[in-house]
Amino acid sequence: MKKGIHPENYRLVVFKDMSNGTQFLSRSTSPSKETVKWEDGNEYPLLKLEISNTSHPFFTGQNVLVDTAGRIDKFKKRYEKKK
């Protein structure tokens, strides 16, 4: 790694997934004005997330299957008329 290009101010931060309420403790340099009391009794900065691995469809296995065959047929029908 190159020296001097990485931030030095990493600290423990609680990330909270706002869609399902899951929280996890990790390190970050992102600023935060809010704090939250963690399981160990200490207070840490809180960063709110819209989506995380606990709520994202890819990671939860709730992927929506796309009907690619239907889309391809629809595309072909639409552009065959122009020929």
Side-chain angles (χ1 to χ4, degrees):
M1 286 194 306
K2 289 185 179 181
K3 299 223 184 251
I5 63 169
H6 299 286
E8 299 290 332
N9 59 342
Y10 282 101
R11 67 193 192 294
L12 289 173
V13 174
V14 174
F15 289 91
K16 182 176 183 179
D17 185 336
M18 299 308 291
S19 63
N20 63 9
T22 304
Q23 297 181 355
F24 57 93
L25 185 65
S26 186
R27 293 186 177 271
S28 177
T29 60
S30 296
S32 175
K33 294 179 182 178
E34 297 180 60
T35 59
V36 66
K37 188 165 248 180
W38 187 242
E39 300 163 354
D40 62 3
N42 295 327
E43 201 162 302
Y44 297 103
L46 175 67
L47 293 175
K48 295 179 179 178
L49 305 172
E50 293 295 321
I51 193 164
S52 72
N53 66 327
T54 60
S55 61
H56 192 280
F58 179 78
F59 295 106
T60 60
Q62 298 174 353
N63 282 346
V64 177
L65 297 175
V66 177
D67 179 21
T68 55
R71 289 184 179 190
I72 293 169
D73 291 339
K74 186 177 178 180
F75 177 82
K76 285 182 181 178
K77 284 181 188 177
R78 185 173 36 192
Y79 286 99
E80 282 178 0
K81 293 178 185 177
K82 292 186 178 186
K83 288 184 179 180

